[in-house]
Amino acid sequence: MTDGGRRSVYMDHVATIPVRQEVAGAMLPSSLYALAREAKGSVEEAREKGG
């Protein structure tokens, strides 16, 4: 992009700021949480059994 012979640089801070964990979690579909809970339960159960 030029502006009278000078180059312009477009900087979009909103596109580069990190997303907070609470926000990212709220954006995920709840079905993913159900699958994650099920998987976590299976892993914990296997650890308790020693496998």
Side-chain angles (χ1 to χ4, degrees):
M1 213 171 157
T2 61
D3 180 19
R6 297 182 306 169
R7 290 188 78 183
S8 297
V9 176
Y10 175 75
M11 296 181 166
D12 185 355
H13 178 69
V14 177
T16 60
I17 57 175
V19 177
R20 292 177 60 181
Q21 290 292 352
E22 305 88 47
V23 175
M27 293 187 326
L28 294 175
S30 60
S31 62
L32 289 178
Y33 287 124
L35 292 172
R37 281 193 300 270
E38 183 179 334
K40 182 179 178 184
S42 297
V43 170
E44 290 175 353
E45 183 179 328
R47 284 181 179 156
E48 289 173 5
K49 291 180 179 179

Short mmCIF file of all heavy atoms in Angstrom, two decimals:
data_model
loop_
_atom_site.label_atom_id
_atom_site.label_comp_id
_atom_site.label_asym_id
_atom_site.label_seq_id
_atom_site.Cartn_x
_atom_site.Cartn_y
_atom_site.Cartn_z
N MET A 1 0.84 -1.17 0.00
CA MET A 1 0.00 0.00 0.00
C MET A 1 0.88 1.24 0.00
O MET A 1 1.85 1.33 0.73
CB MET A 1 -0.85 -0.03 1.27
CG MET A 1 -2.18 0.56 1.14
SD MET A 1 -3.12 0.19 2.66
CE MET A 1 -4.26 1.49 2.51
N THR A 2 0.57 2.21 -0.82
CA THR A 2 1.38 3.42 -0.85
C THR A 2 0.53 4.63 -0.54
O THR A 2 -0.67 4.65 -0.78
CB THR A 2 2.06 3.61 -2.21
OG1 THR A 2 1.06 3.73 -3.20
CG2 THR A 2 2.99 2.46 -2.53
N ASP A 3 1.17 5.63 0.03
CA ASP A 3 0.49 6.85 0.40
C ASP A 3 1.43 8.02 0.07
O ASP A 3 2.27 8.37 0.89
CB ASP A 3 0.14 6.83 1.88
CG ASP A 3 -0.59 8.10 2.33
OD1 ASP A 3 -1.12 8.81 1.48
OD2 ASP A 3 -0.59 8.35 3.55
N GLY A 4 1.31 8.56 -1.14
CA GLY A 4 2.17 9.66 -1.53
C GLY A 4 3.64 9.30 -1.56
O GLY A 4 4.49 10.09 -1.16
N GLY A 5 3.96 8.11 -2.01
CA GLY A 5 5.35 7.69 -2.08
C GLY A 5 5.84 6.99 -0.82
O GLY A 5 6.93 6.45 -0.81
N ARG A 6 5.06 7.02 0.24
CA ARG A 6 5.45 6.33 1.47
C ARG A 6 4.71 5.00 1.55
O ARG A 6 3.61 4.87 1.04
CB ARG A 6 5.09 7.16 2.70
CG ARG A 6 5.84 8.47 2.76
CD ARG A 6 5.51 9.25 4.01
NE ARG A 6 4.04 9.41 4.13
CZ ARG A 6 3.44 9.87 5.21
NH1 ARG A 6 4.15 10.21 6.25
NH2 ARG A 6 2.13 10.01 5.25
N ARG A 7 5.31 4.04 2.21
CA ARG A 7 4.64 2.75 2.40
C ARG A 7 3.83 2.79 3.68
O ARG A 7 4.29 3.29 4.69
CB ARG A 7 5.65 1.63 2.49
CG ARG A 7 6.33 1.37 1.17
CD ARG A 7 7.18 0.15 1.25
NE ARG A 7 6.28 -1.00 1.17
CZ ARG A 7 6.68 -2.25 1.27
NH1 ARG A 7 7.94 -2.51 1.49
NH2 ARG A 7 5.84 -3.25 1.18
N SER A 8 2.64 2.25 3.63
CA SER A 8 1.80 2.14 4.81
C SER A 8 1.80 0.69 5.28
O SER A 8 1.84 -0.23 4.47
CB SER A 8 0.37 2.56 4.50
OG SER A 8 0.33 3.90 4.12
N VAL A 9 1.75 0.50 6.58
CA VAL A 9 1.70 -0.83 7.15
C VAL A 9 0.42 -0.94 7.96
O VAL A 9 0.14 -0.09 8.81
CB VAL A 9 2.92 -1.09 8.06
CG1 VAL A 9 2.82 -2.45 8.72
CG2 VAL A 9 4.21 -0.96 7.27
N TYR A 10 -0.35 -1.98 7.68
CA TYR A 10 -1.59 -2.21 8.41
C TYR A 10 -1.30 -3.13 9.58
O TYR A 10 -0.79 -4.24 9.41
CB TYR A 10 -2.63 -2.85 7.48
CG TYR A 10 -3.90 -3.24 8.18
CD1 TYR A 10 -4.83 -2.28 8.55
CD2 TYR A 10 -4.18 -4.56 8.49
CE1 TYR A 10 -6.00 -2.63 9.19
CE2 TYR A 10 -5.34 -4.92 9.13
CZ TYR A 10 -6.25 -3.95 9.48
OH TYR A 10 -7.40 -4.30 10.12
N MET A 11 -1.58 -2.69 10.79
CA MET A 11 -1.38 -3.50 11.98
C MET A 11 -2.71 -3.70 12.68
O MET A 11 -3.38 -2.74 13.02
CB MET A 11 -0.39 -2.82 12.93
CG MET A 11 0.98 -2.68 12.38
SD MET A 11 2.02 -1.90 13.60
CE MET A 11 3.61 -2.23 12.93
N ASP A 12 -3.07 -4.96 12.87
CA ASP A 12 -4.33 -5.30 13.50
C ASP A 12 -4.05 -5.99 14.82
O ASP A 12 -3.77 -7.19 14.87
CB ASP A 12 -5.14 -6.20 12.58
CG ASP A 12 -6.53 -6.51 13.11
OD1 ASP A 12 -6.84 -6.11 14.25
OD2 ASP A 12 -7.30 -7.15 12.39
N HIS A 13 -4.09 -5.25 15.91
CA HIS A 13 -3.78 -5.80 17.22
C HIS A 13 -4.78 -6.88 17.63
O HIS A 13 -4.41 -7.88 18.23
CB HIS A 13 -3.75 -4.69 18.27
CG HIS A 13 -3.49 -5.18 19.66
ND1 HIS A 13 -2.28 -5.70 20.04
CD2 HIS A 13 -4.29 -5.26 20.74
CE1 HIS A 13 -2.35 -6.07 21.31
NE2 HIS A 13 -3.56 -5.82 21.76
N VAL A 14 -6.03 -6.70 17.30
CA VAL A 14 -7.07 -7.65 17.70
C VAL A 14 -6.80 -9.03 17.10
O VAL A 14 -7.08 -10.05 17.72
CB VAL A 14 -8.47 -7.13 17.31
CG1 VAL A 14 -9.54 -8.13 17.64
CG2 VAL A 14 -8.74 -5.82 18.02
N ALA A 15 -6.25 -9.08 15.92
CA ALA A 15 -6.00 -10.36 15.26
C ALA A 15 -4.80 -11.09 15.86
O ALA A 15 -4.61 -12.27 15.60
CB ALA A 15 -5.77 -10.15 13.77
N THR A 16 -4.00 -10.42 16.66
CA THR A 16 -2.78 -11.03 17.17
C THR A 16 -2.75 -11.22 18.68
O THR A 16 -1.82 -11.83 19.19
CB THR A 16 -1.55 -10.21 16.77
OG1 THR A 16 -1.67 -8.89 17.32
CG2 THR A 16 -1.42 -10.11 15.26
N ILE A 17 -3.75 -10.72 19.41
CA ILE A 17 -3.71 -10.88 20.86
C ILE A 17 -4.09 -12.31 21.24
O ILE A 17 -4.92 -12.94 20.57
CB ILE A 17 -4.63 -9.87 21.59
CG1 ILE A 17 -6.07 -9.97 21.09
CG2 ILE A 17 -4.12 -8.46 21.45
CD1 ILE A 17 -7.04 -9.09 21.85
N PRO A 18 -3.47 -12.87 22.26
CA PRO A 18 -3.79 -14.24 22.67
C PRO A 18 -5.22 -14.34 23.22
O PRO A 18 -5.73 -13.39 23.80
CB PRO A 18 -2.78 -14.54 23.77
CG PRO A 18 -1.78 -13.45 23.76
CD PRO A 18 -2.39 -12.30 23.03
N VAL A 19 -5.81 -15.48 23.03
CA VAL A 19 -7.16 -15.73 23.53
C VAL A 19 -7.06 -16.30 24.94
O VAL A 19 -6.29 -17.24 25.18
CB VAL A 19 -7.92 -16.72 22.62
CG1 VAL A 19 -9.29 -17.04 23.18
CG2 VAL A 19 -8.02 -16.15 21.23
N ARG A 20 -7.81 -15.73 25.88
CA ARG A 20 -7.81 -16.24 27.25
C ARG A 20 -8.45 -17.62 27.28
O ARG A 20 -9.35 -17.92 26.49
CB ARG A 20 -8.56 -15.29 28.17
CG ARG A 20 -7.82 -13.97 28.34
CD ARG A 20 -8.58 -13.01 29.17
NE ARG A 20 -8.82 -13.57 30.50
CZ ARG A 20 -9.49 -12.95 31.45
NH1 ARG A 20 -9.98 -11.75 31.23
NH2 ARG A 20 -9.66 -13.50 32.63
N GLN A 21 -8.00 -18.48 28.19
CA GLN A 21 -8.51 -19.84 28.29
C GLN A 21 -10.02 -19.88 28.50
O GLN A 21 -10.71 -20.72 27.93
CB GLN A 21 -7.82 -20.59 29.43
CG GLN A 21 -6.37 -20.91 29.15
CD GLN A 21 -6.20 -21.93 28.04
OE1 GLN A 21 -7.15 -22.53 27.55
NE2 GLN A 21 -4.97 -22.13 27.62
N GLU A 22 -10.54 -18.95 29.30
CA GLU A 22 -11.98 -18.94 29.56
C GLU A 22 -12.76 -18.67 28.27
O GLU A 22 -13.82 -19.24 28.04
CB GLU A 22 -12.36 -17.84 30.57
CG GLU A 22 -11.62 -17.90 31.88
CD GLU A 22 -10.32 -17.14 31.86
OE1 GLU A 22 -10.28 -15.99 31.41
OE2 GLU A 22 -9.32 -17.69 32.32
N VAL A 23 -12.21 -17.81 27.44
CA VAL A 23 -12.88 -17.47 26.17
C VAL A 23 -12.80 -18.66 25.21
O VAL A 23 -13.80 -19.04 24.59
CB VAL A 23 -12.25 -16.21 25.54
CG1 VAL A 23 -12.84 -15.93 24.17
CG2 VAL A 23 -12.44 -15.02 26.46
N ALA A 24 -11.64 -19.25 25.09
CA ALA A 24 -11.47 -20.39 24.20
C ALA A 24 -12.40 -21.53 24.62
O ALA A 24 -13.03 -22.17 23.78
CB ALA A 24 -10.02 -20.86 24.20
N GLY A 25 -12.49 -21.76 25.93
CA GLY A 25 -13.38 -22.81 26.42
C GLY A 25 -14.83 -22.53 26.12
O GLY A 25 -15.59 -23.44 25.79
N ALA A 26 -15.23 -21.28 26.20
CA ALA A 26 -16.62 -20.91 25.93
C ALA A 26 -16.96 -21.05 24.45
O ALA A 26 -18.12 -21.25 24.10
CB ALA A 26 -16.89 -19.49 26.40
N MET A 27 -15.96 -20.98 23.59
CA MET A 27 -16.21 -21.06 22.15
C MET A 27 -16.35 -22.50 21.67
O MET A 27 -16.88 -22.75 20.59
CB MET A 27 -15.09 -20.36 21.37
CG MET A 27 -15.06 -18.88 21.60
SD MET A 27 -13.91 -17.94 20.58
CE MET A 27 -12.53 -18.99 20.35
N LEU A 28 -15.86 -23.46 22.44
CA LEU A 28 -15.92 -24.86 22.02
C LEU A 28 -17.32 -25.41 22.23
O LEU A 28 -17.97 -25.11 23.22
CB LEU A 28 -14.92 -25.69 22.81
CG LEU A 28 -13.45 -25.37 22.57
CD1 LEU A 28 -12.59 -26.18 23.52
CD2 LEU A 28 -13.07 -25.65 21.14
N PRO A 29 -17.77 -26.26 21.32
CA PRO A 29 -19.08 -26.88 21.50
C PRO A 29 -19.09 -27.77 22.74
O PRO A 29 -18.11 -28.41 23.07
CB PRO A 29 -19.26 -27.74 20.25
CG PRO A 29 -18.23 -27.29 19.29
CD PRO A 29 -17.13 -26.64 20.07
N SER A 30 -20.21 -27.81 23.42
CA SER A 30 -20.30 -28.58 24.66
C SER A 30 -20.13 -30.07 24.42
O SER A 30 -19.72 -30.80 25.31
CB SER A 30 -21.62 -28.31 25.35
OG SER A 30 -22.70 -28.68 24.52
N SER A 31 -20.42 -30.57 23.22
CA SER A 31 -20.25 -32.00 22.94
C SER A 31 -18.78 -32.39 23.05
O SER A 31 -18.46 -33.52 23.43
CB SER A 31 -20.79 -32.35 21.56
OG SER A 31 -20.09 -31.65 20.56
N LEU A 32 -17.89 -31.48 22.74
CA LEU A 32 -16.47 -31.77 22.89
C LEU A 32 -16.11 -31.96 24.35
O LEU A 32 -15.28 -32.79 24.69
CB LEU A 32 -15.61 -30.65 22.29
CG LEU A 32 -15.61 -30.54 20.77
CD1 LEU A 32 -14.75 -29.36 20.32
CD2 LEU A 32 -15.11 -31.82 20.14
N TYR A 33 -16.74 -31.19 25.21
CA TYR A 33 -16.48 -31.34 26.64
C TYR A 33 -16.93 -32.71 27.12
O TYR A 33 -16.25 -33.34 27.92
CB TYR A 33 -17.19 -30.25 27.44
CG TYR A 33 -16.56 -28.90 27.33
CD1 TYR A 33 -17.30 -27.82 26.91
CD2 TYR A 33 -15.23 -28.70 27.64
CE1 TYR A 33 -16.72 -26.56 26.81
CE2 TYR A 33 -14.64 -27.46 27.54
CZ TYR A 33 -15.39 -26.39 27.13
OH TYR A 33 -14.81 -25.16 27.03
N ALA A 34 -18.07 -33.16 26.65
CA ALA A 34 -18.57 -34.47 27.04
C ALA A 34 -17.59 -35.56 26.61
O ALA A 34 -17.28 -36.47 27.38
CB ALA A 34 -19.95 -34.71 26.44
N LEU A 35 -17.08 -35.46 25.39
CA LEU A 35 -16.11 -36.45 24.91
C LEU A 35 -14.82 -36.37 25.72
O LEU A 35 -14.22 -37.40 26.05
CB LEU A 35 -15.82 -36.22 23.42
CG LEU A 35 -16.96 -36.51 22.46
CD1 LEU A 35 -16.60 -36.06 21.05
CD2 LEU A 35 -17.31 -37.99 22.48
N ALA A 36 -14.41 -35.17 26.05
CA ALA A 36 -13.18 -34.99 26.82
C ALA A 36 -13.34 -35.56 28.23
O ALA A 36 -12.43 -36.22 28.75
CB ALA A 36 -12.80 -33.51 26.89
N ARG A 37 -14.50 -35.34 28.84
CA ARG A 37 -14.74 -35.89 30.18
C ARG A 37 -14.73 -37.42 30.14
O ARG A 37 -14.17 -38.06 31.02
CB ARG A 37 -16.07 -35.38 30.73
CG ARG A 37 -16.01 -33.98 31.28
CD ARG A 37 -17.26 -33.67 32.09
NE ARG A 37 -18.48 -33.77 31.31
CZ ARG A 37 -19.03 -32.77 30.63
NH1 ARG A 37 -18.49 -31.58 30.65
NH2 ARG A 37 -20.13 -32.95 29.94
N GLU A 38 -15.33 -37.97 29.11
CA GLU A 38 -15.37 -39.43 28.98
C GLU A 38 -13.95 -39.99 28.81
O GLU A 38 -13.58 -40.97 29.45
CB GLU A 38 -16.23 -39.82 27.78
CG GLU A 38 -16.40 -41.30 27.60
CD GLU A 38 -17.28 -41.64 26.41
OE1 GLU A 38 -18.14 -40.82 26.04
OE2 GLU A 38 -17.09 -42.75 25.87
N ALA A 39 -13.17 -39.36 27.96
CA ALA A 39 -11.80 -39.80 27.74
C ALA A 39 -10.97 -39.65 29.01
O ALA A 39 -10.19 -40.55 29.36
CB ALA A 39 -11.16 -39.01 26.60
N LYS A 40 -11.14 -38.55 29.71
CA LYS A 40 -10.40 -38.33 30.94
C LYS A 40 -10.75 -39.39 31.97
O LYS A 40 -9.88 -39.92 32.66
CB LYS A 40 -10.70 -36.94 31.50
CG LYS A 40 -9.92 -36.62 32.76
CD LYS A 40 -10.24 -35.23 33.27
CE LYS A 40 -9.47 -34.95 34.55
NZ LYS A 40 -9.81 -33.66 35.13
N GLY A 41 -12.03 -39.72 32.07
CA GLY A 41 -12.46 -40.76 33.00
C GLY A 41 -11.83 -42.10 32.68
O GLY A 41 -11.40 -42.83 33.57
N SER A 42 -11.77 -42.42 31.40
CA SER A 42 -11.17 -43.69 30.98
C SER A 42 -9.68 -43.72 31.32
O SER A 42 -9.16 -44.75 31.78
CB SER A 42 -11.36 -43.90 29.48
OG SER A 42 -12.72 -44.01 29.17
N VAL A 43 -8.99 -42.62 31.09
CA VAL A 43 -7.56 -42.55 31.39
C VAL A 43 -7.34 -42.68 32.89
O VAL A 43 -6.45 -43.43 33.34
CB VAL A 43 -6.94 -41.24 30.85
CG1 VAL A 43 -5.53 -41.04 31.37
CG2 VAL A 43 -6.95 -41.24 29.33
N GLU A 44 -8.12 -41.97 33.69
CA GLU A 44 -7.97 -42.05 35.15
C GLU A 44 -8.26 -43.46 35.65
O GLU A 44 -7.56 -43.96 36.54
CB GLU A 44 -8.86 -41.02 35.83
CG GLU A 44 -8.39 -39.60 35.61
CD GLU A 44 -9.34 -38.56 36.18
OE1 GLU A 44 -10.44 -38.93 36.64
OE2 GLU A 44 -8.98 -37.38 36.16
N GLU A 45 -9.26 -44.09 35.09
CA GLU A 45 -9.61 -45.46 35.49
C GLU A 45 -8.46 -46.42 35.17
O GLU A 45 -8.09 -47.28 35.98
CB GLU A 45 -10.88 -45.90 34.78
CG GLU A 45 -11.36 -47.28 35.19
CD GLU A 45 -12.66 -47.66 34.48
OE1 GLU A 45 -13.47 -46.75 34.19
OE2 GLU A 45 -12.85 -48.87 34.24
N ALA A 46 -7.88 -46.27 33.98
CA ALA A 46 -6.76 -47.11 33.58
C ALA A 46 -5.56 -46.88 34.49
O ALA A 46 -4.85 -47.83 34.86
CB ALA A 46 -6.38 -46.84 32.13
N ARG A 47 -5.32 -45.65 34.87
CA ARG A 47 -4.19 -45.35 35.77
C ARG A 47 -4.39 -46.00 37.13
O ARG A 47 -3.44 -46.51 37.74
CB ARG A 47 -4.04 -43.84 35.93
CG ARG A 47 -3.41 -43.19 34.72
CD ARG A 47 -3.25 -41.70 34.94
NE ARG A 47 -2.62 -41.09 33.78
CZ ARG A 47 -2.75 -39.82 33.43
NH1 ARG A 47 -3.48 -39.01 34.19
NH2 ARG A 47 -2.14 -39.35 32.38
N GLU A 48 -5.62 -45.97 37.62
CA GLU A 48 -5.92 -46.59 38.92
C GLU A 48 -5.71 -48.10 38.89
O GLU A 48 -5.27 -48.68 39.87
CB GLU A 48 -7.36 -46.26 39.34
CG GLU A 48 -7.57 -44.82 39.74
CD GLU A 48 -9.04 -44.48 39.99
OE1 GLU A 48 -9.88 -45.39 39.93
OE2 GLU A 48 -9.32 -43.30 40.23
N LYS A 49 -5.99 -48.69 37.73
CA LYS A 49 -5.82 -50.13 37.59
C LYS A 49 -4.38 -50.50 37.33
O LYS A 49 -4.02 -51.68 37.31
CB LYS A 49 -6.70 -50.66 36.45
CG LYS A 49 -8.18 -50.60 36.75
CD LYS A 49 -8.97 -51.13 35.58
CE LYS A 49 -10.46 -51.09 35.90
NZ LYS A 49 -11.27 -51.58 34.76
N GLY A 50 -3.56 -49.49 37.06
CA GLY A 50 -2.14 -49.76 36.79
C GLY A 50 -1.85 -50.09 35.34
O GLY A 50 -0.82 -50.63 35.00
N GLY A 51 -2.76 -49.74 34.48
CA GLY A 51 -2.56 -50.10 33.07
C GLY A 51 -2.53 -48.91 32.25
O GLY A 51 -2.05 -48.57 31.33
#
